[in-house]
Amino acid sequence: EDQVTQSPEALRLQEGESSSLNCSYTVSGLRGLFWYRQDPGKGPEFLFTLYSAGEEKEKERLKATLTKKESFLHITAPKPEDSATYLCAVQVDAASKLTFGTGTRLQVTL
Amino acid sequence: GAVVSQHPSWVICKSGTSVKIECRSLDFQATTMFWYRQFPKQSLMLMATSNEGSKATYEQGVEKDKFLINHASLTLSTLTVTSAHPEDSSFYICSGLAGPVGQFFGPGTRLTVL
């Protein structure tokens, strides 16, 4: 059975304090790994798609990396507006269905 | 990025009534749309996959007669919760598949069944 595990469950950072979020996966065949940001009461907002081990993508203060077993979302010098729940999801079949992890709730304080 | 809308954004209904939620892709055509349910502090759980012009495919444990899905056009899918009960109260989110880029999500619909 495909599994996606995110850690930590919650993370509190001070503004400017860089850190990384982890997404570990056990799947039969990875077609893509997706990172989303979700604010309370809203739908997920697309951040990145990674397809193969060694791939990296960046957007502002965020950088996503992928290995054969896990993905990291690195947050450099975070700001309070980066506070949100970060979700990772894996696609394993041609039907494009996603299996989501439980998310990491990030809080960035002044 | 691709934009998906949902209507209504929230709805309160009495137990036993039916509620329809609309999901529209505004700037792209979505031959495939997905419906998810999210309970408080939990992640998204896929309910069904909706393909334009054909019957929806439901995930294990999701009652197809209770959650009716219609995908009548390339930009519109609807989810009808029939005979709603308090345990159906949840946050329902749809997404549209925008080619190889992946899924883009709507803002969600908060359903409260009294």
Side-chain angles (χ1 to χ4, degrees):
Chain A
E1 183 181 338
D2 300 325
Q3 286 194 328
V4 181
T5 304
Q6 290 188 246
S7 62
E9 186 176 316
L11 180 62
R12 184 168 178 158
L13 299 173
Q14 286 197 319
E15 185 174 15
E17 181 186 1
S18 301
S19 187
S20 295
L21 313 183
N22 178 265
C23 173
S24 298
Y25 60 91
T26 306
V27 298
S28 52
L30 183 71
R31 286 178 171 257
L33 185 140
F34 299 78
W35 281 98
Y36 291 90
R37 168 195 170 126
Q38 186 177 27
D39 293 302
K42 297 188 178 181
E45 174 188 343
F46 173 78
L47 294 175
F48 304 108
T49 309
L50 302 167
Y51 294 103
S52 57
E55 190 174 359
E56 299 182 352
K57 289 192 177 174
E58 287 188 67
K59 179 181 179 181
E60 296 179 353
R61 296 178 292 282
L62 300 177
K63 179 180 177 181
T65 62
L66 180 66
T67 72
K68 289 186 177 180
K69 294 183 179 181
E70 58 193 347
S71 177
F72 291 94
L73 184 65
H74 307 277
I75 302 177
T76 302
K79 298 181 178 182
E81 53 262 42
D82 294 322
S83 298
T85 295
Y86 290 85
L87 300 167
C88 81
V90 296
Q91 178 189 339
V92 298
D93 63 12
S96 300
K97 293 197 300 184
L98 296 179
T99 299
F100 278 85
T102 51
T104 293
R105 293 192 307 278
L106 173 65
Q107 183 181 14
V108 182
T109 59
L110 292 171
Chain B
V3 181
V4 176
S5 70
Q6 281 184 243
H7 179 79
S9 56
W10 60 269
V11 57
I12 301 173
C13 69
K14 292 183 178 180
S15 185
T17 61
S18 295
V19 173
K20 179 185 284 188
I21 302 170
E22 292 186 350
C23 175
R24 294 181 185 273
S25 56
L26 299 184
D27 55 0
F28 69 102
Q29 293 185 329
T31 54
T32 302
M33 289 183 168
F34 300 89
W35 286 95
Y36 295 83
R37 183 164 50 182
Q38 186 176 34
F39 292 105
K41 295 195 176 181
Q42 294 186 25
S43 194
L44 280 73
M45 295 298 295
L46 180 65
M47 299 175 66
T49 303
S50 166
N51 289 297
E52 188 264 337
S54 63
K55 289 184 179 181
T57 303
Y58 291 81
E59 295 300 300
Q60 194 170 9
V62 178
E63 299 174 60
K64 63 177 70 175
D65 295 330
K66 181 169 186 60
F67 299 99
L68 302 179
I69 292 172
N70 183 274
H71 194 158
S73 76
L74 289 173
T75 59
L76 174 64
S77 176
T78 60
L79 168 68
T80 301
V81 183
T82 63
S83 186
H85 291 283
E87 57 265 31
D88 299 322
S89 298
S90 189
F91 193 50
Y92 291 87
I93 309 174
C94 72
S95 70
L97 184 62
V101 180
Q103 296 181 32
F104 287 84
F105 288 81
T109 297
R110 173 76 57 195
L111 170 63
T112 302
V113 184
L114 302 176

